[in-house]
Amino acid sequence: VTNDSLNLHIAMALDKPGVAIFGADNPAQVQDKKNLIKLRSHEECPPCHSRFCKLSNSFEYFPCIAETKAEIVMNAVLKLL
């Protein structure tokens, strides 16, 4: 389980299963693979690649990440087992 980071790209290069949580990044920019599940919970957010959230008017609260519930992540992990 990772975000769109070096960890994700290393796992993909090694063909390891993974769950990637996307916030301000665009999941469409990461190659689809059968053993990779991409999660993005807040569909109202366009990929903004920003460190400041215009929706929450904050540098600290990002709905695109905060609204990705642990249950959703766990269900995605269980699908890969």
Side-chain angles (χ1 to χ4, degrees):
V1 177
T2 185
N3 62 336
D4 183 16
S5 65
L6 181 61
N7 293 335
L8 170 63
H9 298 282
I10 290 171
M12 289 179 62
L14 297 173
D15 201 31
K16 299 294 181 187
V19 175
I21 303 170
F22 289 85
D25 294 328
N26 186 351
Q29 291 179 329
V30 173
Q31 179 183 3
D32 288 328
K33 290 193 139 198
K34 66 178 180 177
N35 61 353
L36 173 66
I37 297 175
K38 302 179 205 177
L39 300 177
R40 187 160 185 266
S41 70
H42 204 270
E43 294 301 326
E44 293 175 19
C45 297
C48 64
H49 307 284
S50 180
R51 297 194 183 276
F52 178 80
C53 179
K54 293 178 184 175
L55 289 177
S56 66
N57 198 30
S58 172
F59 284 103
E60 297 176 5
Y61 181 76
F62 291 82
C64 56
I65 293 292
E67 294 178 11
T68 302
K69 304 295 182 201
E71 180 180 354
I72 294 169
V73 176
M74 183 57 76
N75 286 337
V77 169
L78 292 174
K79 285 181 185 177
L80 293 173
L81 296 178

